[in-house]
Amino acid sequence: RTSVHAMELSLRAQCRHYMAEVASWQPDGWRDAVLWTQRLLDLPALQQLLMGEAAARWVLEDPMLRPFATENLRARIERLQESDCAPLVQAWQQGVPLLEGWQQRWQRLWPKMPGTMTMPLEQLAVHLQHHIDTLRPDGGSENSPRVCEVLAEKLVYQFRRHSHQPATAFLHLALVALDLQQLRGALVRRALFPERIEENP
């Protein structure tokens, strides 16, 4: 009976906590890159804020987003520039989509390593971008569960193939995110359409 906003706030908080836990397992050189994954959760909200849209109530309730949700756009940008989101603001001001700006910062956080170790990370980025493009309204897919299954199959294959490499942590988090996406969808449907759940137990 939790509201949808409260439920999603809890899921985001738990996801961030788990990302931080996974980061703590990594060698020193990789912790910042893993921690940066936390901001992926915030990109849609940050885009709305940078576009000058009014902050939604759920944004105001999220402690990771609330500091940026002032009514004044200039103040928003200044606060974002003073935070870890500064690279995203810089990308936005240069006309770069936030996801691409996030990825550029992510790659800059990688320690120096052979190309054979960066390849799985670059391949992961390609898989995720293709997944996002496919799920867009004009992406041509009407079966999002199957699209998610296809991505999961690719990630599991990569996870097994590149175990004990830096990519493992990110592949793991991507698989966790897919599971969390499914859980979120089920909980939202249950919260918004309880009568359907009762009809189809």
Side-chain angles (χ1 to χ4, degrees), residues 11-171:
L11 288 174
R12 286 196 304 278
Q14 292 180 63
C15 189
R16 290 185 185 114
H17 177 77
Y18 187 67
M19 289 169 165
E21 183 178 347
V22 172
S24 73
W25 304 340
Q26 310 306 311
D28 290 344
W30 281 99
R31 287 179 186 164
D32 287 345
V34 177
L35 282 173
W36 183 236
T37 60
Q38 293 177 316
R39 281 301 181 190
L40 275 173
L41 304 173
D42 302 328
L43 294 187
L46 292 176
Q47 179 166 315
Q48 290 183 344
L49 292 174
L50 286 168
M51 290 175 65
E53 297 181 14
R57 190 183 70 182
W58 65 268
V59 173
L60 296 171
E61 293 171 351
D62 190 322
M64 294 294 289
L65 295 170
R66 187 188 308 124
F68 313 128
T70 64
E71 292 186 7
N72 184 280
L73 179 58
R74 178 177 292 181
R76 287 181 186 179
I77 293 175
E78 288 176 355
R79 292 186 183 185
L80 285 163
Q81 288 174 325
E82 293 168 358
S83 74
D84 64 308
C85 295
L88 298 175
V89 177
Q90 183 179 4
W92 177 263
Q93 291 174 332
Q94 294 173 352
V96 177
L98 284 187
L99 180 59
E100 186 177 337
W102 179 92
Q103 185 174 334
Q104 290 173 355
R105 172 62 174 163
W106 179 53
Q107 291 178 326
R108 286 196 295 270
L109 290 171
W110 299 351
K112 291 184 179 179
M113 56 184 169
T116 55
M117 297 182 73
T118 62
M119 184 179 65
L121 292 163
E122 293 165 354
Q123 197 166 28
L124 169 60
V126 170
H127 287 327
L128 294 180
Q129 185 61 62
H130 177 72
H131 177 72
I132 292 168
D133 291 342
T134 304
L135 289 177
R136 284 185 174 135
D138 58 350
S141 175
E142 298 179 358
N143 187 354
S144 59
R146 180 55 192 154
V147 172
C148 292
E149 288 174 11
V150 169
L151 176 60
E153 290 167 2
K154 292 178 181 177
L155 296 180
V156 168
Y157 173 77
Q158 292 293 105
F159 184 86
R160 292 173 177 167
R161 185 180 179 188
H162 302 292
S163 59
H164 308 297
Q165 288 192 22
T168 305
F170 300 101
L171 288 162

